[in-house]
Amino acid sequence: MSRSDRTLFNTMLSAIGAALLSTAATAQTLPVPGPTVEAIKKRGELVCGVDSGIPGFAYQDSSGAWKGFDVDYCQALAAAVLGDPKKVKYVGTTAKVRFTVLQSGEIDVLIRDSTMTFSRDIGLGLTEVAVNFYAGQGFMVRKNLGAKTAAELNGATICMITGATLELNIADFARSKGTTINSLLFEKSEEAFAAAEAGRCDGYSDDTGSLAAARSTMKVPDDWMIMPEVISKEPLGIHTRDGDYRWSDIVFWVDTALKTAEEFGITKANVDEKKKSEDPFVRRLLGLEGDFGKQLGIDNEGFYRAIKSVGNYGEIYDTHFGPKALGLPRGLNNLWSQGGLHYPLPFR
Amino acid sequence: MARTKTTSGSNAALWPMKSSHALLWQGVVLGVALLVLFWFGHNAASHLARRNMVLDFSFLWRPAGFAMPFQITSFKPTDSYAMALAAAFSNTLLVSALGVVTATLLGLALGVMRLSTSWLMRSASGGIVELIRNTPQLLQIVFWYVGVLQLLPQARQSLSLGGLFHLNIRGLFLPYPLGGGWTATLAALLVLSLVLVPLLRRFLPMRRRGSRWLWLVPPVLFVALVESLSGWSIPTLKGFNFVGGMVLPPELVALWVGLSLYSAAFIAEIVRGSVEGVAKGQREAAYSLGLRPWPTLRLVILPQALRVMIPQMTNQYLNLIKSSSLGAAIAYPEIVQIFAGTVLNQSGRAIEVMVILMGVFLSVNLLASAGLARLNARFALKER
C-alpha cells in the first residue's frame, strides 16, 4: 500500500465512521432535559435575548432593571427551569444581531418581539416555538391628510425605522393594490418621529404595539390617527436554536402554561389557593397530579413557580399593554374564548 | 550639506543590515502575517461549522421585495438583493462624489481665505473652520436635516419659481428632460467628444492652432441633443405631493452639505498648513520678480504646496467616503442603511452581509487611494 493509498483508505474509513455516527445520532432521541437546560443549570442562570429597548416589550427602568412583556416571559422560564425568576441574564439585542447571537449560542432563547416567518425558521436554522403576541403592521397618519384607509395612501411618503420587515410589507401592500408608497427608513425612532412631525412624510408605520407608543410621543397626539386596518400579520414569538428540541418543548409548554392559567382563572395572587382545586387540568398544571413537569425535564413544580412569579398571560399583558400601561386593546391577543387567537394546547 | 548626508544613503537606516538579510526578515514577517491570517480564517470557519452556520451567499439572487425611496438606478421591488446592493452602492458613490468635489472647492476657498491679509476674511474663515471641525459630524448632518431642511414649507405652500422649480420639505423639484429616439446616442457622442477632442488636439501631428475648430464639435452635438428631446416633465402638485419632474430629496442635500462642510474644514487646514510650509523665500522671490499676489499664489506657491497637500487630502477623501454611511441616521438610502439594515434583516445573513459590506468599502477606498497615490507620484519632487 503506497502512501497515497493509505491516506485515501483513512479518509474513506473516517467518512464511513462519520456517516455511521450521524445516523446513530438521528435515530437516537435526546435525553431530557437536553443540552441547553443542562448548560443553563450548570451556569445557574438563563441567558435571555430581549429587545434593547422598546416600551411594552422590554426596556430598562430608571434603576436599570429590565421590565416588559418579553422580560416577564424570561422570568417565567427561569422560574420553571431554575426555580428563581431572578436568575436571568438579559442580553439586549438589536434587530440586526438578534438571530446571529441566538445561532452562535450567546443566548439560550430569543424573546424579542420578533416575527415568526418561513425564512427565519428554515433559512436561519431556528425553531419558532410559540406566538406570545399577535401584532400587525399599521399606519399612523395626520388626520388632515384626508385618507381614511391604507388603500388611499397612493403616492404618500411614510417614515419608519429600519431593522424590521416594515419596508418589505409596505412594498408588498403597495404592489398588491397597484399603488406606490414611498418609505423613508431611519436608523432611530427619534429622527423618524421628527421627520413625521415636520411633515417630511405623511405618516409613520410600525407594529400596532409600537404605534400606540409613537402616537403618545407626538406634540399633539390628537392630530394623528391610527388607521383601522393592518397590512401584515406579525405573529411575534419565541425563537430557539434548531438541534435541541427538548429545550424548545420546555419553552413551548411554559408559554402554554401561562395561557392555560388564564383560562382557568389562576393568577399570581391565587395560585396557592388554587392548589386545593379539584379540577384535573388545574391539578396537572400545578404539578399535583401526574408528572408532566418531570417528563419535560424540569420538576413538577415548574409551571407553578412560573405562574407564581409573573402571573398568567392576561396579567402579563395588562401589566405592560393594559389600560394603565400603553392602553392597547387586547384584540387578537385575547384567549380564544374571548374572541382572540390564543388557544393553548390541553394539559393531558 | 550635512542634512543630506544623514537623510540619504543606506547607512542612515534605523537598523543597518545587508540587503539579503533584510529580504530574509521581510519574508519571515510576511510568513507570520499570513499564518496569523490563515489561523483567523480557519478559526472563524470551524466555529461557524460547529454552530451549524455556513457562509452562504446564494441569498443575493433572491428577490428583495422592498422599494428604494431614492435612487439613480432603476431598482424595482421584484429585483434581487444583488441589484439592491448595486442601487444602494450607487447612492453611496453619488453622495461621496458630490461631497469630494464640493469639499475640495470649499476647503480650498476657506484655506486661501485663512491666509488672506484681510482681517475679516482671515477670521471669518477661522471661525467657520473651528466651529465645524470641533463638533461631531453626525450631529451636523442631523442638524442640517432636522434643524434646517425640515423648516421648509409643506408641499402646498412650496416656494415656486416660474411654476417650474418648487422647493418644499419634500425636496427640490425640477423639470426633467424626456429623451427622444436619438437622445441616448447623442448624449454618448457628446461625452465621447468631450474626452476625444483634447486628446486629439494633444496627439495630432498638425499644429495645435490648426485643430482649434475641433472644439466646435461638442456644442453642435449639444444643440442636436437638445433638439432631440421629446419634451420636459414638469413637476405638478397632485394629491399629497408633486408628480413628474425630478426631485433632489432633503436627505441627499443634508448628507451632502454635512459631509462637504465637515471635510472642507479639515481641507482648509491642510491647505493653510501646506501653503505656509512653502519656504518664505519663494514668495519673496516671486514678489521681487514683480508678480502680483494672486499669480504668486497660483503659479509659485500652490504648485509647491500641492506636493504636501495630496497625501493628506487622500486621508480626507477616504474619511468622507466612509462617513457617507452616517446617512443611515437621516434616511438617506446608502449602502449601510439598505444593505446592512434592510437586506440583513430580511435575509438574516448577518455575517455574509457584513463581509460583503467590508469588501465593498475596502475596494472603493483602495481604488481611491491607489488613484491618489498615482497623482501624488506625478506631483512629488522628482529625485534623481
Side-chain angles (χ1 to χ4, degrees), chain A residues 152-185:
Chain A
E152 294 169 41
L153 288 175
N154 192 11
T157 306
I158 302 293
C159 286
M160 67 199 78
I161 46 173
T162 171
T165 45
L166 300 171
E167 58 271 40
L168 178 69
N169 295 335
I170 288 196
D172 281 353
F173 174 75
R175 270 164 71 196
S176 74
K177 296 272 182 235
T179 60
T180 45
I181 299 178
N182 305 309
S183 38
L184 269 190
L185 305 168

PDB file of all heavy atoms in Angstrom, chain A residues 152-185:
ATOM      1  N   GLU A 152     -55.879  54.273   0.426  1.00  0.00           N
ATOM      2  CA  GLU A 152     -55.912  55.630  -0.130  1.00  0.00           C
ATOM      3  C   GLU A 152     -54.563  56.327  -0.054  1.00  0.00           C
ATOM      4  O   GLU A 152     -54.452  57.508  -0.359  1.00  0.00           O
ATOM      5  CB  GLU A 152     -56.944  56.480   0.630  1.00  0.00           C
ATOM      6  CG  GLU A 152     -58.373  56.017   0.446  1.00  0.00           C
ATOM      7  CD  GLU A 152     -59.310  56.711   1.423  1.00  0.00           C
ATOM      8  OE1 GLU A 152     -59.137  57.913   1.637  1.00  0.00           O
ATOM      9  OE2 GLU A 152     -60.182  56.035   1.981  1.00  0.00           O
ATOM     10  N   LEU A 153     -53.550  55.612   0.380  1.00  0.00           N
ATOM     11  CA  LEU A 153     -52.247  56.254   0.588  1.00  0.00           C
ATOM     12  C   LEU A 153     -51.390  56.314  -0.668  1.00  0.00           C
ATOM     13  O   LEU A 153     -50.184  56.476  -0.583  1.00  0.00           O
ATOM     14  CB  LEU A 153     -51.472  55.521   1.690  1.00  0.00           C
ATOM     15  CG  LEU A 153     -51.999  55.721   3.109  1.00  0.00           C
ATOM     16  CD1 LEU A 153     -51.227  54.861   4.093  1.00  0.00           C
ATOM     17  CD2 LEU A 153     -51.891  57.175   3.514  1.00  0.00           C
ATOM     18  N   ASN A 154     -51.993  56.213  -1.846  1.00  0.00           N
ATOM     19  CA  ASN A 154     -51.211  56.238  -3.084  1.00  0.00           C
ATOM     20  C   ASN A 154     -50.374  57.513  -3.189  1.00  0.00           C
ATOM     21  O   ASN A 154     -50.883  58.615  -3.057  1.00  0.00           O
ATOM     22  CB  ASN A 154     -52.157  56.136  -4.284  1.00  0.00           C
ATOM     23  CG  ASN A 154     -51.390  55.868  -5.569  1.00  0.00           C
ATOM     24  OD1 ASN A 154     -50.190  55.557  -5.526  1.00  0.00           O
ATOM     25  ND2 ASN A 154     -52.061  55.977  -6.689  1.00  0.00           N
ATOM     26  N   GLY A 155     -49.075  57.335  -3.409  1.00  0.00           N
ATOM     27  CA  GLY A 155     -48.180  58.488  -3.559  1.00  0.00           C
ATOM     28  C   GLY A 155     -47.699  59.077  -2.257  1.00  0.00           C
ATOM     29  O   GLY A 155     -46.917  60.024  -2.260  1.00  0.00           O
ATOM     30  N   ALA A 156     -48.151  58.545  -1.148  1.00  0.00           N
ATOM     31  CA  ALA A 156     -47.745  59.100   0.144  1.00  0.00           C
ATOM     32  C   ALA A 156     -46.341  58.625   0.516  1.00  0.00           C
ATOM     33  O   ALA A 156     -45.858  57.615   0.018  1.00  0.00           O
ATOM     34  CB  ALA A 156     -48.733  58.677   1.215  1.00  0.00           C
ATOM     35  N   THR A 157     -45.687  59.394   1.371  1.00  0.00           N
ATOM     36  CA  THR A 157     -44.389  59.006   1.907  1.00  0.00           C
ATOM     37  C   THR A 157     -44.576  58.647   3.372  1.00  0.00           C
ATOM     38  O   THR A 157     -45.185  59.390   4.122  1.00  0.00           O
ATOM     39  CB  THR A 157     -43.395  60.170   1.786  1.00  0.00           C
ATOM     40  OG1 THR A 157     -43.362  60.589   0.437  1.00  0.00           O
ATOM     41  CG2 THR A 157     -42.013  59.754   2.222  1.00  0.00           C
ATOM     42  N   ILE A 158     -44.066  57.494   3.752  1.00  0.00           N
ATOM     43  CA  ILE A 158     -44.240  57.008   5.122  1.00  0.00           C
ATOM     44  C   ILE A 158     -42.867  56.859   5.774  1.00  0.00           C
ATOM     45  O   ILE A 158     -41.953  56.265   5.200  1.00  0.00           O
ATOM     46  CB  ILE A 158     -44.973  55.643   5.125  1.00  0.00           C
ATOM     47  CG1 ILE A 158     -46.341  55.761   4.423  1.00  0.00           C
ATOM     48  CG2 ILE A 158     -45.153  55.128   6.542  1.00  0.00           C
ATOM     49  CD1 ILE A 158     -47.348  56.614   5.122  1.00  0.00           C
ATOM     50  N   CYS A 159     -42.722  57.412   6.977  1.00  0.00           N
ATOM     51  CA  CYS A 159     -41.474  57.261   7.725  1.00  0.00           C
ATOM     52  C   CYS A 159     -41.538  55.998   8.570  1.00  0.00           C
ATOM     53  O   CYS A 159     -42.614  55.630   9.055  1.00  0.00           O
ATOM     54  CB  CYS A 159     -41.250  58.453   8.656  1.00  0.00           C
ATOM     55  SG  CYS A 159     -40.759  59.942   7.786  1.00  0.00           S
ATOM     56  N   MET A 160     -40.396  55.358   8.758  1.00  0.00           N
ATOM     57  CA  MET A 160     -40.378  54.173   9.626  1.00  0.00           C
ATOM     58  C   MET A 160     -38.938  53.906  10.033  1.00  0.00           C
ATOM     59  O   MET A 160     -38.020  54.551   9.512  1.00  0.00           O
ATOM     60  CB  MET A 160     -40.952  52.973   8.894  1.00  0.00           C
ATOM     61  CG  MET A 160     -40.135  52.492   7.751  1.00  0.00           C
ATOM     62  SD  MET A 160     -41.108  51.481   6.645  1.00  0.00           S
ATOM     63  CE  MET A 160     -41.997  52.732   5.755  1.00  0.00           C
ATOM     64  N   ILE A 161     -38.766  53.003  10.959  1.00  0.00           N
ATOM     65  CA  ILE A 161     -37.398  52.662  11.323  1.00  0.00           C
ATOM     66  C   ILE A 161     -36.998  51.383  10.615  1.00  0.00           C
ATOM     67  O   ILE A 161     -37.815  50.516  10.354  1.00  0.00           O
ATOM     68  CB  ILE A 161     -37.183  52.556  12.851  1.00  0.00           C
ATOM     69  CG1 ILE A 161     -38.284  51.746  13.496  1.00  0.00           C
ATOM     70  CG2 ILE A 161     -37.084  53.925  13.475  1.00  0.00           C
ATOM     71  CD1 ILE A 161     -38.038  51.471  14.950  1.00  0.00           C
ATOM     72  N   THR A 162     -35.709  51.319  10.306  1.00  0.00           N
ATOM     73  CA  THR A 162     -35.201  50.161   9.606  1.00  0.00           C
ATOM     74  C   THR A 162     -34.872  49.070  10.627  1.00  0.00           C
ATOM     75  O   THR A 162     -34.833  49.327  11.817  1.00  0.00           O
ATOM     76  CB  THR A 162     -33.961  50.539   8.778  1.00  0.00           C
ATOM     77  OG1 THR A 162     -33.366  49.358   8.287  1.00  0.00           O
ATOM     78  CG2 THR A 162     -32.951  51.274   9.602  1.00  0.00           C
ATOM     79  N   GLY A 163     -34.672  47.865  10.155  1.00  0.00           N
ATOM     80  CA  GLY A 163     -34.304  46.790  11.070  1.00  0.00           C
ATOM     81  C   GLY A 163     -35.455  45.841  11.322  1.00  0.00           C
ATOM     82  O   GLY A 163     -35.359  44.935  12.123  1.00  0.00           O
ATOM     83  N   ALA A 164     -36.576  46.020  10.647  1.00  0.00           N
ATOM     84  CA  ALA A 164     -37.664  45.060  10.739  1.00  0.00           C
ATOM     85  C   ALA A 164     -38.062  44.732   9.303  1.00  0.00           C
ATOM     86  O   ALA A 164     -37.314  45.011   8.379  1.00  0.00           O
ATOM     87  CB  ALA A 164     -38.826  45.656  11.515  1.00  0.00           C
ATOM     88  N   THR A 165     -39.252  44.191   9.105  1.00  0.00           N
ATOM     89  CA  THR A 165     -39.662  43.922   7.736  1.00  0.00           C
ATOM     90  C   THR A 165     -40.718  44.939   7.299  1.00  0.00           C
ATOM     91  O   THR A 165     -41.510  44.672   6.413  1.00  0.00           O
ATOM     92  CB  THR A 165     -40.211  42.492   7.610  1.00  0.00           C
ATOM     93  OG1 THR A 165     -41.086  42.268   8.695  1.00  0.00           O
ATOM     94  CG2 THR A 165     -39.108  41.475   7.626  1.00  0.00           C
ATOM     95  N   LEU A 166     -40.702  46.128   7.931  1.00  0.00           N
ATOM     96  CA  LEU A 166     -41.731  47.137   7.650  1.00  0.00           C
ATOM     97  C   LEU A 166     -41.733  47.545   6.181  1.00  0.00           C
ATOM     98  O   LEU A 166     -42.784  47.593   5.539  1.00  0.00           O
ATOM     99  CB  LEU A 166     -41.492  48.371   8.523  1.00  0.00           C
ATOM    100  CG  LEU A 166     -41.527  48.138  10.038  1.00  0.00           C
ATOM    101  CD1 LEU A 166     -41.070  49.378  10.774  1.00  0.00           C
ATOM    102  CD2 LEU A 166     -42.916  47.751  10.475  1.00  0.00           C
ATOM    103  N   GLU A 167     -40.513  47.845   5.641  1.00  0.00           N
ATOM    104  CA  GLU A 167     -40.448  48.327   4.263  1.00  0.00           C
ATOM    105  C   GLU A 167     -40.884  47.254   3.271  1.00  0.00           C
ATOM    106  O   GLU A 167     -41.504  47.553   2.257  1.00  0.00           O
ATOM    107  CB  GLU A 167     -39.051  48.868   3.938  1.00  0.00           C
ATOM    108  CG  GLU A 167     -37.897  47.894   4.111  1.00  0.00           C
ATOM    109  CD  GLU A 167     -37.307  47.918   5.516  1.00  0.00           C
ATOM    110  OE1 GLU A 167     -38.092  48.014   6.480  1.00  0.00           O
ATOM    111  OE2 GLU A 167     -36.079  47.822   5.649  1.00  0.00           O
ATOM    112  N   LEU A 168     -40.581  45.994   3.607  1.00  0.00           N
ATOM    113  CA  LEU A 168     -40.994  44.890   2.740  1.00  0.00           C
ATOM    114  C   LEU A 168     -42.517  44.781   2.712  1.00  0.00           C
ATOM    115  O   LEU A 168     -43.126  44.652   1.651  1.00  0.00           O
ATOM    116  CB  LEU A 168     -40.376  43.586   3.240  1.00  0.00           C
ATOM    117  CG  LEU A 168     -40.737  42.329   2.468  1.00  0.00           C
ATOM    118  CD1 LEU A 168     -40.117  42.356   1.094  1.00  0.00           C
ATOM    119  CD2 LEU A 168     -40.275  41.090   3.200  1.00  0.00           C
ATOM    120  N   ASN A 169     -43.145  44.875   3.892  1.00  0.00           N
ATOM    121  CA  ASN A 169     -44.604  44.771   3.963  1.00  0.00           C
ATOM    122  C   ASN A 169     -45.278  45.892   3.181  1.00  0.00           C
ATOM    123  O   ASN A 169     -46.279  45.677   2.505  1.00  0.00           O
ATOM    124  CB  ASN A 169     -45.071  44.835   5.418  1.00  0.00           C
ATOM    125  CG  ASN A 169     -44.578  43.655   6.212  1.00  0.00           C
ATOM    126  OD1 ASN A 169     -44.303  42.604   5.649  1.00  0.00           O
ATOM    127  ND2 ASN A 169     -44.443  43.826   7.510  1.00  0.00           N
ATOM    128  N   ILE A 170     -44.706  47.112   3.313  1.00  0.00           N
ATOM    129  CA  ILE A 170     -45.305  48.247   2.613  1.00  0.00           C
ATOM    130  C   ILE A 170     -45.193  48.056   1.107  1.00  0.00           C
ATOM    131  O   ILE A 170     -46.148  48.289   0.359  1.00  0.00           O
ATOM    132  CB  ILE A 170     -44.646  49.561   3.078  1.00  0.00           C
ATOM    133  CG1 ILE A 170     -45.111  49.855   4.492  1.00  0.00           C
ATOM    134  CG2 ILE A 170     -44.965  50.701   2.129  1.00  0.00           C
ATOM    135  CD1 ILE A 170     -44.876  51.232   4.969  1.00  0.00           C
ATOM    136  N   ALA A 171     -44.015  47.598   0.660  1.00  0.00           N
ATOM    137  CA  ALA A 171     -43.837  47.377  -0.781  1.00  0.00           C
ATOM    138  C   ALA A 171     -44.793  46.291  -1.268  1.00  0.00           C
ATOM    139  O   ALA A 171     -45.411  46.430  -2.328  1.00  0.00           O
ATOM    140  CB  ALA A 171     -42.392  46.994  -1.084  1.00  0.00           C
ATOM    141  N   ASP A 172     -44.940  45.220  -0.477  1.00  0.00           N
ATOM    142  CA  ASP A 172     -45.871  44.144  -0.840  1.00  0.00           C
ATOM    143  C   ASP A 172     -47.299  44.672  -0.927  1.00  0.00           C
ATOM    144  O   ASP A 172     -48.034  44.387  -1.874  1.00  0.00           O
ATOM    145  CB  ASP A 172     -45.828  43.025   0.217  1.00  0.00           C
ATOM    146  CG  ASP A 172     -44.624  42.116   0.029  1.00  0.00           C
ATOM    147  OD1 ASP A 172     -43.921  42.285  -0.992  1.00  0.00           O
ATOM    148  OD2 ASP A 172     -44.384  41.266   0.901  1.00  0.00           O
ATOM    149  N   PHE A 173     -47.664  45.474   0.077  1.00  0.00           N
ATOM    150  CA  PHE A 173     -49.028  46.019   0.135  1.00  0.00           C
ATOM    151  C   PHE A 173     -49.289  46.919  -1.070  1.00  0.00           C
ATOM    152  O   PHE A 173     -50.319  46.803  -1.746  1.00  0.00           O
ATOM    153  CB  PHE A 173     -49.198  46.808   1.440  1.00  0.00           C
ATOM    154  CG  PHE A 173     -50.505  47.534   1.552  1.00  0.00           C
ATOM    155  CD1 PHE A 173     -51.677  46.837   1.819  1.00  0.00           C
ATOM    156  CD2 PHE A 173     -50.570  48.915   1.386  1.00  0.00           C
ATOM    157  CE1 PHE A 173     -52.885  47.495   1.923  1.00  0.00           C
ATOM    158  CE2 PHE A 173     -51.772  49.581   1.486  1.00  0.00           C
ATOM    159  CZ  PHE A 173     -52.934  48.874   1.750  1.00  0.00           C
ATOM    160  N   ALA A 174     -48.316  47.803  -1.358  1.00  0.00           N
ATOM    161  CA  ALA A 174     -48.488  48.729  -2.484  1.00  0.00           C
ATOM    162  C   ALA A 174     -48.588  47.964  -3.796  1.00  0.00           C
ATOM    163  O   ALA A 174     -49.408  48.293  -4.651  1.00  0.00           O
ATOM    164  CB  ALA A 174     -47.325  49.712  -2.526  1.00  0.00           C
ATOM    165  N   ARG A 175     -47.764  46.923  -3.946  1.00  0.00           N
ATOM    166  CA  ARG A 175     -47.811  46.139  -5.173  1.00  0.00           C
ATOM    167  C   ARG A 175     -49.148  45.440  -5.323  1.00  0.00           C
ATOM    168  O   ARG A 175     -49.702  45.359  -6.412  1.00  0.00           O
ATOM    169  CB  ARG A 175     -46.686  45.105  -5.177  1.00  0.00           C
ATOM    170  CG  ARG A 175     -45.401  45.637  -5.792  1.00  0.00           C
ATOM    171  CD  ARG A 175     -44.241  44.764  -5.438  1.00  0.00           C
ATOM    172  NE  ARG A 175     -44.282  43.470  -6.107  1.00  0.00           N
ATOM    173  CZ  ARG A 175     -43.537  42.430  -5.719  1.00  0.00           C
ATOM    174  NH1 ARG A 175     -42.728  42.531  -4.683  1.00  0.00           N
ATOM    175  NH2 ARG A 175     -43.601  41.296  -6.369  1.00  0.00           N
ATOM    176  N   SER A 176     -49.666  44.938  -4.193  1.00  0.00           N
ATOM    177  CA  SER A 176     -50.935  44.220  -4.267  1.00  0.00           C
ATOM    178  C   SER A 176     -52.075  45.168  -4.619  1.00  0.00           C
ATOM    179  O   SER A 176     -53.066  44.767  -5.222  1.00  0.00           O
ATOM    180  CB  SER A 176     -51.225  43.495  -2.955  1.00  0.00           C
ATOM    181  OG  SER A 176     -51.604  44.420  -1.966  1.00  0.00           O
ATOM    182  N   LYS A 177     -51.954  46.452  -4.262  1.00  0.00           N
ATOM    183  CA  LYS A 177     -53.016  47.421  -4.555  1.00  0.00           C
ATOM    184  C   LYS A 177     -52.722  48.204  -5.832  1.00  0.00           C
ATOM    185  O   LYS A 177     -53.502  49.075  -6.207  1.00  0.00           O
ATOM    186  CB  LYS A 177     -53.148  48.426  -3.395  1.00  0.00           C
ATOM    187  CG  LYS A 177     -53.579  47.795  -2.089  1.00  0.00           C
ATOM    188  CD  LYS A 177     -55.093  47.728  -1.981  1.00  0.00           C
ATOM    189  CE  LYS A 177     -55.493  47.129  -0.648  1.00  0.00           C
ATOM    190  NZ  LYS A 177     -56.368  45.987  -0.735  1.00  0.00           N
ATOM    191  N   GLY A 178     -51.563  47.963  -6.422  1.00  0.00           N
ATOM    192  CA  GLY A 178     -51.198  48.709  -7.616  1.00  0.00           C
ATOM    193  C   GLY A 178     -50.931  50.179  -7.357  1.00  0.00           C
ATOM    194  O   GLY A 178     -51.140  51.022  -8.223  1.00  0.00           O
ATOM    195  N   THR A 179     -50.498  50.522  -6.162  1.00  0.00           N
ATOM    196  CA  THR A 179     -50.199  51.913  -5.826  1.00  0.00           C
ATOM    197  C   THR A 179     -48.717  52.045  -5.515  1.00  0.00           C
ATOM    198  O   THR A 179     -47.985  51.058  -5.513  1.00  0.00           O
ATOM    199  CB  THR A 179     -50.993  52.376  -4.593  1.00  0.00           C
ATOM    200  OG1 THR A 179     -50.645  51.537  -3.500  1.00  0.00           O
ATOM    201  CG2 THR A 179     -52.477  52.306  -4.834  1.00  0.00           C
ATOM    202  N   THR A 180     -48.270  53.270  -5.279  1.00  0.00           N
ATOM    203  CA  THR A 180     -46.895  53.449  -4.813  1.00  0.00           C
ATOM    204  C   THR A 180     -46.922  54.150  -3.460  1.00  0.00           C
ATOM    205  O   THR A 180     -47.654  55.123  -3.264  1.00  0.00           O
ATOM    206  CB  THR A 180     -46.053  54.311  -5.771  1.00  0.00           C
ATOM    207  OG1 THR A 180     -46.835  55.442  -6.147  1.00  0.00           O
ATOM    208  CG2 THR A 180     -45.619  53.554  -6.989  1.00  0.00           C
ATOM    209  N   ILE A 181     -46.173  53.623  -2.547  1.00  0.00           N
ATOM    210  CA  ILE A 181     -45.988  54.268  -1.252  1.00  0.00           C
ATOM    211  C   ILE A 181     -44.482  54.375  -1.045  1.00  0.00           C
ATOM    212  O   ILE A 181     -43.763  53.380  -1.156  1.00  0.00           O
ATOM    213  CB  ILE A 181     -46.622  53.444  -0.110  1.00  0.00           C
ATOM    214  CG1 ILE A 181     -48.127  53.296  -0.331  1.00  0.00           C
ATOM    215  CG2 ILE A 181     -46.363  54.101   1.231  1.00  0.00           C
ATOM    216  CD1 ILE A 181     -48.830  52.473   0.712  1.00  0.00           C
ATOM    217  N   ASN A 182     -43.994  55.591  -0.835  1.00  0.00           N
ATOM    218  CA  ASN A 182     -42.556  55.767  -0.617  1.00  0.00           C
ATOM    219  C   ASN A 182     -42.242  55.561   0.852  1.00  0.00           C
ATOM    220  O   ASN A 182     -42.927  56.100   1.717  1.00  0.00           O
ATOM    221  CB  ASN A 182     -42.128  57.175  -1.025  1.00  0.00           C
ATOM    222  CG  ASN A 182     -42.536  57.475  -2.438  1.00  0.00           C
ATOM    223  OD1 ASN A 182     -42.249  56.695  -3.347  1.00  0.00           O
ATOM    224  ND2 ASN A 182     -43.239  58.574  -2.641  1.00  0.00           N
ATOM    225  N   SER A 183     -41.204  54.782   1.129  1.00  0.00           N
ATOM    226  CA  SER A 183     -40.842  54.590   2.536  1.00  0.00           C
ATOM    227  C   SER A 183     -39.494  55.249   2.814  1.00  0.00           C
ATOM    228  O   SER A 183     -38.550  55.098   2.045  1.00  0.00           O
ATOM    229  CB  SER A 183     -40.797  53.097   2.863  1.00  0.00           C
ATOM    230  OG  SER A 183     -40.262  52.366   1.799  1.00  0.00           O
ATOM    231  N   LEU A 184     -39.443  55.997   3.886  1.00  0.00           N
ATOM    232  CA  LEU A 184     -38.195  56.626   4.329  1.00  0.00           C
ATOM    233  C   LEU A 184     -37.728  55.876   5.561  1.00  0.00           C
ATOM    234  O   LEU A 184     -38.448  55.805   6.555  1.00  0.00           O
ATOM    235  CB  LEU A 184     -38.444  58.084   4.715  1.00  0.00           C
ATOM    236  CG  LEU A 184     -38.295  59.160   3.659  1.00  0.00           C
ATOM    237  CD1 LEU A 184     -38.341  60.511   4.316  1.00  0.00           C
ATOM    238  CD2 LEU A 184     -36.994  58.998   2.901  1.00  0.00           C
ATOM    239  N   LEU A 185     -36.512  55.333   5.492  1.00  0.00           N
ATOM    240  CA  LEU A 185     -36.049  54.458   6.567  1.00  0.00           C
ATOM    241  C   LEU A 185     -35.055  55.172   7.468  1.00  0.00           C
ATOM    242  O   LEU A 185     -34.024  55.646   7.000  1.00  0.00           O
ATOM    243  CB  LEU A 185     -35.364  53.237   5.965  1.00  0.00           C
ATOM    244  CG  LEU A 185     -36.204  52.450   4.978  1.00  0.00           C
ATOM    245  CD1 LEU A 185     -35.336  51.459   4.254  1.00  0.00           C
ATOM    246  CD2 LEU A 185     -37.317  51.762   5.706  1.00  0.00           C
TER     247      LEU A 185
END
